[in-house]
Amino acid sequence: VTATLSIGEFSKLTHLSVKALRHYHDVGLLVPAGVDSESRYRRYAPAQAADAQLIRRLRALDMPIEMVRTVVTSADDRSRQATIAAHLEAMEAELERTKDVVASLRALLQQPVLVADVARRRLPAQTALAIGAEVAAAHVEHWCGAAFGELRDTLDECGAEVDGPGGGLFSAAFFADDVGPVTVYVPVRSVPAAPGGRAEVIELPAGDVLVAVHHGPYADLDRTYAVVGAAANELGLAGDGAIRERYVVGPDATDDPHRLRTEVCWPIVDAA
Amino acid sequence: VTATLSIGEFSKLTHLSVKALRHYHDVGLLVPAGVDSESRYRRYAPAQAADAQLIRRLRALDMPIEMVRTVVTSADDRSRQATIAAHLEAMEAELERTKDVVASLRALLQQPVLVADVARRRLPAQTALAIGAEVAAAHVEHWCGAAFGELRDTLDECGAEVDGPGGGLFSAAFFADDVGPVTVYVPVRSVPAAPGGRAEVIELPAGDVLVAVHHGPYADLDRTYAVVGAAANELGLAGDGAIRERYVVGPDATDDPHRLRTEVCWPIVDAA
DNA sequence: TTGCTCCTCACGTCACGTGAGGTGGC
DNA sequence: TTGCTCCTCACGTCACGTGAGGTGGC
């Protein structure tokens, strides 16, 4: 029989605060070995320190409690490792994004005013192979990359001839709510038979737009949006419908983000 | 006169969600150029996109809104840069801490069981130069480093002779609440006259303790705590009073965290 | 005229922290 | 016996997100 520890003693052993320990009890993540039925005093076994140590480290890495529970209760070592690895990869991705934002912030501070030519253009109707979904702003870039990968695969399979750079359609709701319909597409010359996968054949309607070319990383795209959007508003022409991005030089064409070129196409009221 | 934009249009220009824009209005961070007194519709000026771009980047870096406000409203460029630099440094420190935690997690997974010898010892009474304060767990390591720096300076000034490695006293409340009294000290042979600064002369009382030596980074200290604390509990000897750490090989003696040696001294009921 | 946009509450999120008010254990 | 520890609510934090329910503008 081993002696048990009060919550205060266990707190000193584990460096978890008393409040945290009570919370982990409440949510069933770290349940005391015993609870006095009368006084409701919690009693911890010294062996529970092992779980506490794991929990403390995972929480220090901001792993959500439900995920911590998955790790702590996982039967075998392999699935435990997999859950941890998934979180570490997510952290790594976050770090990359943070670096991009820092670069974007420095660029804004050094060059507060963006000069970009805005032109009016009529987009022709086009047939395209497309994938659409509800996408959260936080994951757009990743989602678009994956979707374009799928589109490339499908194009290879059905042997359709590509007709110009790929693009994306971003609904107003996507910007207003930080989540909403997004579609990426690749224009094709001939209509492929049965696309397969998530890809489908769509008809891009013709329409008038204001266009500016965005040079560089996608983290800075809002600056070009502001230029084109302000121009459309200034002219009193701002139309509705999705904003279109055309990846003239996309991530598949260059590894240097500063060589990326993206046309931002702002729909305006039709001249016709 | 320039045309203004509705909140939905401004959202598209800036990539800030409508909900975020309303919130920034509520807290006065980004106030629309105009608000219709009847319909309460917000109207944004295109020129406000510049502020929006800055705010979006700072928030993407998790800068607290009050700090963002400081940046946005700062009069001169220098204070603006200083605030931003302070936040970037905090992020850098966070990244370092995260790396330490990841290493600590890997160590725990590879070597779940820590073997450490626990010994009983009587600590003699000692005179020491000390600095004490309420410290939050999140900042202990940094605080201790700064405090030891001050103690060294004071010792140099008053020429007191050091009598053994420095140490720290950590109250039970510090662990229970993640914030509480912490004192760091350096034992001295002779009583220095007027210490100056935050330093004061204290008398460390004699007392019986259980001791184990912790080898390696401080991020792993909880594991040695668990061993010593469990031993004290097992023996039914756990006393009260502060836990003492003695920095036998401290950060000033080595740059390699794996060479650090720390004695963890757990107070037990006095034999006398 | 009909949706679509916009509005204002009120409440939820996440992992605890902060008291308030009260009892139990050495 | 006296504090000290521990208990359980109830509410606060932070920066918005999620509806509900309703009105305004093209």
Side-chain angles (χ1 to χ4, degrees):
Chain A
V1 203
T2 26
T4 56
L5 300 143
S6 75
I7 195 169
E9 291 164 328
F10 196 62
S11 165
K12 286 194 283 186
L13 257 78
T14 59
H15 292 192
L16 291 170
S17 76
V18 166
K19 290 287 182 180
L21 286 171
R22 286 206 264 255
H23 183 64
Y24 297 156
H25 181 194
D26 284 349
V27 301
L29 177 60
L30 183 61
V31 178
V35 178
D36 186 291
S37 57
E38 182 112 10
S39 67
R40 311 255 60 199
Y41 275 34
R42 295 167 179 85
R43 283 273 139 191
Y44 292 87
Q48 297 191 275
D51 274 1
Q53 285 159 14
L54 182 56
I55 291 169
R56 193 170 91 98
R57 282 157 181 76
L58 298 177
R59 284 296 306 132
L61 297 178
D62 267 331
M63 182 185 281
I65 281 204
E66 282 314 309
M67 203 174 190
V68 175
R69 190 202 307 280
T70 304
V71 173
V72 174
T73 63
S74 62
D76 62 309
D77 216 61
R78 206 166 302 171
S79 65
R80 164 176 296 209
Q81 291 289 351
T83 310
I84 292 172
H87 183 67
L88 293 179
E89 279 165 33
M91 288 176 60
E92 201 63 46
E94 249 301 291
L95 181 58
E96 285 306 310
R97 192 197 62 101
T98 297
K99 283 181 187 170
D100 291 348
V101 175
V102 170
S104 172
L105 173 62
R106 290 198 202 286
L108 182 72
L109 293 172
Q110 274 172 31
Q111 202 67 252
V113 177
L114 176 67
V115 261
D117 291 329
V118 179
R120 186 173 182 152
R121 188 193 297 172
R122 180 159 186 84
L123 295 178
Q126 275 186 314
T127 303
L129 202 63
I131 295 178
E134 286 270 314
V135 182
H139 312 123
V140 223
E141 206 169 328
H142 179 257
W143 182 86
C144 288
F148 273 121
E150 283 186 49
L151 286 178
R152 264 194 301 276
D153 291 348
T154 309
L155 284 166
D156 284 352
E157 280 168 32
C158 63
E161 197 182 342
V162 171
D163 187 24
L169 300 170
F170 300 87
S171 62
F174 171 75
F175 296 109
D177 303 334
D178 263 15
V179 52
V182 172
T183 300
V184 294
Y185 67 86
V186 177
V188 288
R189 210 172 291 275
S190 56
V191 181
R198 289 194 294 167
E200 29 174 22
V201 178
I202 63 168
E203 286 297 318
L204 295 168
D208 287 343
V209 294
L210 289 190
V211 186
V213 180
H214 176 78
H215 296 257
Y218 294 134
D220 295 323
L221 260 175
D222 58 339
R223 302 179 64 181
T224 299
Y225 269 67
V227 170
V228 193
N233 188 254
E234 204 68 32
L235 296 171
L237 294 173
D240 45 4
I243 290 172
R244 196 185 296 201
E245 295 180 2
R246 298 181 71 233
Y247 308 107
V248 181
V249 178
D252 51 339
T254 177
D255 283 335
D256 179 3
H258 290 93
R259 297 203 168 169
L260 291 170
R261 285 187 180 218
T262 312
E263 286 181 0
V264 176
C265 307
W266 204 278
I268 56 178
V269 291
D270 214 307
Chain B
V1 203
T2 26
T4 56
L5 301 143
S6 73
I7 196 168
E9 290 163 328
F10 195 63
S11 164
K12 285 194 283 187
L13 258 78
T14 60
H15 292 192
L16 291 170
S17 77
V18 167
K19 290 286 183 181
L21 286 171
R22 286 207 264 255
H23 183 64
Y24 297 156
H25 180 194
D26 285 348
V27 299
L29 178 59
L30 183 61
V31 178
V35 177
D36 187 291
S37 56
E38 181 112 11
S39 68
R40 311 256 59 200
Y41 276 33
R42 295 167 180 85
R43 283 273 138 190
Y44 292 87
Q48 296 191 275
D51 274 1
Q53 285 159 15
L54 183 55
I55 291 168
R56 194 170 90 98
R57 281 158 181 76
L58 298 177
R59 284 295 307 131
L61 297 177
D62 268 331
M63 182 186 281
I65 281 204
E66 282 313 309
M67 204 174 189
V68 174
R69 189 201 307 279
T70 303
V71 172
V72 173
T73 63
S74 62
D76 62 310
D77 217 61
R78 205 165 301 171
S79 65
R80 164 175 297 208
Q81 292 289 351
T83 310
I84 293 172
H87 183 66
L88 293 180
E89 278 164 34
M91 288 176 60
E92 201 63 47
E94 250 298 294
L95 180 59
E96 285 307 309
R97 191 197 61 102
T98 297
K99 284 181 187 170
D100 291 348
V101 175
V102 170
S104 172
L105 173 62
R106 289 198 202 286
L108 182 71
L109 293 172
Q110 276 172 29
Q111 201 67 251
V113 177
L114 175 68
V115 260
D117 292 328
V118 179
R120 185 173 184 153
R121 188 193 298 172
R122 181 159 184 84
L123 295 179
Q126 275 186 315
T127 302
L129 202 62
I131 294 178
E134 286 270 313
V135 182
H139 312 122
V140 223
E141 206 169 328
H142 179 258
W143 183 86
C144 288
F148 272 121
E150 284 186 48
L151 286 179
R152 263 194 302 275
D153 291 348
T154 309
L155 285 167
D156 284 351
E157 279 168 33
C158 63
E161 197 181 342
V162 172
D163 187 25
L169 299 171
F170 300 87
S171 62
F174 171 75
F175 295 109
D177 302 334
D178 262 14
V179 52
V182 172
T183 299
V184 294
Y185 67 86
V186 177
V188 288
R189 209 172 291 275
S190 55
V191 181
R198 289 195 294 168
E200 27 172 25
V201 179
I202 63 167
E203 284 299 316
L204 295 168
D208 287 344
V209 294
L210 289 190
V211 186
V213 180
H214 176 78
H215 296 256
Y218 294 135
D220 295 323
L221 260 175
D222 58 339
R223 301 179 65 182
T224 299
Y225 268 67
V227 170
V228 193
N233 188 254
E234 203 69 31
L235 297 171
L237 293 174
D240 45 4
I243 290 173
R244 196 186 296 202
E245 296 180 0
R246 298 180 73 233
Y247 308 108
V248 182
V249 178
D252 51 340
T254 177
D255 283 335
D256 179 3
H258 290 93
R259 297 203 167 170
L260 291 171
R261 286 186 179 218
T262 312
E263 286 181 359
V264 175
C265 308
W266 205 277
I268 56 178
V269 290
D270 214 305

